[in-house]
């Protein structure tokens, strides 16, 4: 007979959450920084930790949003619920500019506008089965791992922080931070290029190998291209759909957060090709676009009209040039960080086609010790590499998202150490 403890509530929690290691990385950093500032209220902190943009919204977006607000104030221009998938005019400019212009076969109906790539990368698990064998790189953007833990797709974490049941693909300088193909069978693979946290990029050849692998094994790639706008090298692919066959094995996540400064405004999109299929438990071939469309229609009411008009303006002539300036600005910051740290004798990676610089910590110094060292001695906040996975131990990430003055001052302080 079930005996209910009268002291305990009867409602059950999702026990999978109890497997999560400590806090999510960025709140944990915020907690430590708060302790530091309480103890050192005079400290002038420079935050190069979380990849959050600092520069004002592009004028083209602001103007478009103001016009949209005024429209909403009129009988004729007012809009209630929009399409859950996004307005067709936004999906059309995205398909044309981001994909068709690069030779990718992506139609507007395959674009689902959303409020963020982080949300999409976790929500997608709603439509995927619990039996999938999942591969992530190590280090990795922690959201991919934590969302699978929350969904019950893993066992407990080991001492090093790796969860049972996930297939970890180590990335390091030895493989140019591009994972080798898995030696064990996997069904779902998370790839992120330009990479967060390492700033690495994948060439056509490297991505083609992944697409071939996924097609052969009938696996699905979740390709996070949130940082594609930062690619400087013209020989590199921006989208996985530049690779033949990717329509049959890949979903792509894109965001306006970093290129257009929308981290607080919220707009992103996910591409689900209509040709993509998965398998049901009773071995039927199921269309993934249909499932995602069903999911979004049930659980999401779309991004606001005003924000979508702002996003549309990114693709106007002025918008494109303003976004180019923003990206160039942050990439100049990345270059300043790279040069200064290299000149200080540190080994640095990334920062050439991505807004993140991945730094090898000096011999024998752990990632969190280096975090504390920079926080205490230079009042600079970065992100410990070990927060991105066991193989990130001994590395440290600095983000290029800050003002020029702050980046220069941070480098001056680090060089003086
Ligand atoms: C990061 O710092 O890794 C980013 O802010 C992640 C994100 O965009 O969620």
């Amino acid at each position: 007979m079930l005996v209910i403890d009268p002291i305990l509530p009867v409602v059950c929690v999702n026990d999978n959450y109890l497997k999560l290691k400590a806090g999510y990385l960025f709140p944990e950093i915020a907690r430590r920084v708060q302790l530091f500032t309480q103890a050192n209220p005079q400290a002038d902190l420079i935050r190069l930790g979380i990849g959050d943009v600092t520069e004002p919204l592009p004028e083209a977006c602001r103007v478009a949003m103001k016009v949209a607000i005024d429209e909403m104030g009129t009988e004729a221009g007012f809009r209630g619920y929009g399409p859950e998938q996004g307005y067709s005019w936004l999906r059309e400019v995205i398909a044309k500019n981001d994909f068709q212009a690069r030779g990718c076969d992506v139609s507007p109906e395959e674009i689902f506008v959303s409020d963020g790539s982080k949300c999409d990368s976790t929500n997608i698990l709603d439509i995927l089965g619990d039996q999938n064998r999942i591969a992530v790189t190590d280090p990795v953007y922690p959201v991919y791992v934590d969302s699978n833990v929350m969904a019950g797709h893993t066992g407990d974490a080991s001492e090093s922080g790796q969860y049972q049941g996930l297939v970890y693909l180590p990335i390091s300088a030895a493989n140019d931070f591009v994972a080798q193909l898995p030696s064990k069978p996997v069904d779902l693979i998370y790839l992120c290029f330009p990479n967060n946290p390492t700033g690495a990029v994948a060439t056509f050849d490297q991505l083609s190998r992944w697409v071939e692998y996924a097609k052969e094994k009938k696996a699905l790639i979740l390709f996070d291209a949130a940082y594609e706008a930062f690619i400087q090298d013209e020989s590199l692919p921006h989208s996985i759909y530049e690779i033949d066959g990717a329509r049959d094995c890949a979903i792509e996540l894109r965001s306006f957060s970093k290129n257009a400064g929308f981290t607080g405004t919220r707009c992103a999109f996910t591409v689900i090709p209509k040709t993509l299929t998965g398998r049901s438990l009773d071995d039927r071939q199921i269309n993934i676009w249909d499932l995602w469309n069903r999911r979004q229609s049930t659980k999401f009411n779309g991004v606001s009209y005003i924000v979508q008009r702002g996003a549309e303006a990114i693709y106007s002539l002025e918008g494109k040039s303003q976004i180019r300036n923003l990206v160039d600005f942050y990439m100049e910051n990345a270059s300043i960080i790279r040069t200064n740290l290299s000149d200080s004798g540190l080994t640095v990676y990334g920062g050439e086609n991505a807004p993140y610089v991945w730094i090898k910590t000096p011999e024998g110094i752990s990632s969190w010790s280096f975090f504390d060292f920079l926080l205490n001695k230079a009042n600079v906040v970065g992100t410990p590499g070990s927060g991105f996975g066991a193989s990130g131990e001994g590395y440290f990430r600095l983000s290029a998202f800050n003002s020029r003055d702050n980046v220069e001052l941070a480098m001056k302080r680090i060089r003086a150490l």
Side-chain angles (χ1 to χ4, degrees):
M1 195 180 71
L2 180 67
V3 182
I4 300 188
D5 183 337
I7 297 175
L8 281 178
V10 288
V11 67
C12 296
V13 298
N14 178 349
D15 276 53
N16 295 313
Y17 277 62
L18 312 182
K19 296 179 202 160
L20 292 165
K21 297 285 281 182
Y24 174 53
L25 176 61
F26 295 107
E28 175 59 19
I29 291 172
R31 194 185 65 80
R32 290 182 184 225
V33 168
Q34 194 188 9
L35 285 179
F36 175 81
T37 45
Q38 275 162 2
N40 305 275
Q42 314 304 342
D44 172 24
L45 278 191
I46 301 177
R47 294 168 197 270
L48 301 177
I50 190 163
D52 193 6
V53 290
T54 54
E55 300 310 295
L57 277 178
E59 191 189 357
C61 303
R62 282 184 282 122
V63 169
M65 286 193 274
K66 283 182 196 159
V67 170
I69 290 174
D70 287 340
E71 262 186 88
M72 292 285 271
T74 64
E75 288 278 336
F78 175 77
R79 283 168 172 81
Y81 292 124
E84 294 90 355
Q85 303 79 1
Y87 284 100
S88 57
W89 33 261
L90 177 56
R91 301 167 86 194
E92 274 156 24
V93 286
I94 292 172
K96 183 164 159 251
N97 287 277
D98 284 339
F99 298 102
Q100 292 159 7
R102 298 193 68 85
C104 307
D105 176 16
V106 170
S107 73
E109 297 74 44
E110 295 174 322
I111 312 271
F112 287 83
V113 177
S114 76
D115 59 348
S117 284
K118 178 158 94 173
C119 322
D120 283 355
S121 76
T122 64
N123 290 337
I124 201 79
L125 295 179
D126 271 9
I127 63 159
L128 300 175
D130 292 333
Q131 322 64 12
N132 290 320
R133 294 160 297 187
I134 298 158
V136 291
T137 62
D138 178 15
V140 68
Y141 178 43
V143 170
Y144 310 151
V145 171
D146 286 3
S147 57
N148 276 290
V149 176
M150 292 170 177
H153 296 165
T154 72
D156 289 325
S158 67
E159 272 301 295
S160 68
Q162 294 200 331
Y163 289 91
Q164 282 161 15
L166 290 183
V167 175
Y168 287 91
L169 308 172
I171 53 174
S172 66
N175 56 15
D176 290 330
F177 299 97
V178 178
Q180 311 296 307
L181 299 175
S183 49
K184 304 184 195 173
V186 297
D187 310 306
L188 177 63
I189 304 144
Y190 288 80
L191 294 180
C192 173
F193 290 111
N195 187 253
N196 179 11
T198 66
V201 281
T203 62
F204 270 96
D205 276 357
Q206 287 165 326
L207 266 196
S208 299
R209 278 200 285 282
W210 275 104
V211 169
E212 272 164 36
Y213 171 88
K215 284 197 64 165
E216 189 197 316
K217 306 287 182 194
K218 304 209 177 305
L220 175 66
I221 297 175
L222 274 185
F223 188 74
D224 186 346
Y227 299 95
E228 62 76 34
F230 295 85
I231 293 176
Q232 309 290 304
D233 179 341
E234 286 178 10
S235 72
L236 296 170
H238 286 234
S239 165
I240 196 155
Y241 304 117
E242 290 178 56
I243 313 296
D244 278 347
R247 282 183 58 82
D248 302 323
C249 64
I251 287 175
E252 182 163 311
L253 304 161
R254 290 274 188 112
S255 171
F256 299 118
S257 282
K258 311 294 159 92
N259 63 342
F262 270 45
T263 53
T265 305
R266 310 306 309 149
C267 198
F269 62 92
T270 286
V271 185
I272 314 244
K274 288 199 161 174
T275 39
L276 209 54
T277 55
R279 184 162 59 89
S280 66
L281 280 178
D282 59 358
D283 284 336
R284 281 177 301 134
Q285 200 170 3
I286 306 292
N287 186 279
I288 290 189
W289 187 98
D290 285 342
L291 293 190
W292 184 247
N293 193 43
R294 184 72 175 81
R295 190 255 171 223
Q296 292 298 82
S297 310
T298 303
K299 294 197 176 185
F300 187 55
N301 267 333
V303 175
S304 88
Y305 172 71
I306 297 159
V307 168
Q308 290 192 61
R309 280 294 184 203
E312 182 192 27
I314 291 169
Y315 297 95
S316 66
L317 229 49
E318 313 78 61
K320 281 181 184 168
S321 123
Q322 290 160 13
I323 264 96
R324 180 45 44 211
N325 289 342
L326 267 182
V327 166
D328 288 350
F329 175 83
Y330 291 125
M331 288 312 290
E332 179 63 25
N333 281 350
S335 161
I336 292 169
I337 296 172
R338 270 186 67 91
T339 311
N340 276 277
L341 297 184
S342 301
D343 290 353
S344 309
L346 290 165
T347 305
V348 296
Y349 303 95
E352 289 174 316
N353 292 286
Y356 295 121
V357 180
W358 188 241
I359 303 146
K360 183 91 199 76
T361 59
E363 195 59 41
I365 301 185
S366 74
S367 299
W368 275 110
S369 302
F370 197 63
F371 172 89
D372 289 334
F373 174 73
L374 286 192
L375 179 62
N376 285 288
K377 303 287 181 214
N379 298 166
V380 171
V381 181
T383 310
S386 55
F388 296 101
S391 301
E393 181 54 270
Y395 288 91
F396 195 75
R397 192 193 77 175
L398 285 184
S399 140
F401 294 114
N402 214 313
S403 66
R404 182 62 41 80
D405 284 354
N406 275 347
V407 166
E408 282 174 346
L409 183 57
M411 291 305 111
K412 193 167 154 208
R413 289 187 193 163
I414 293 175
R415 286 189 71 151
L417 291 175

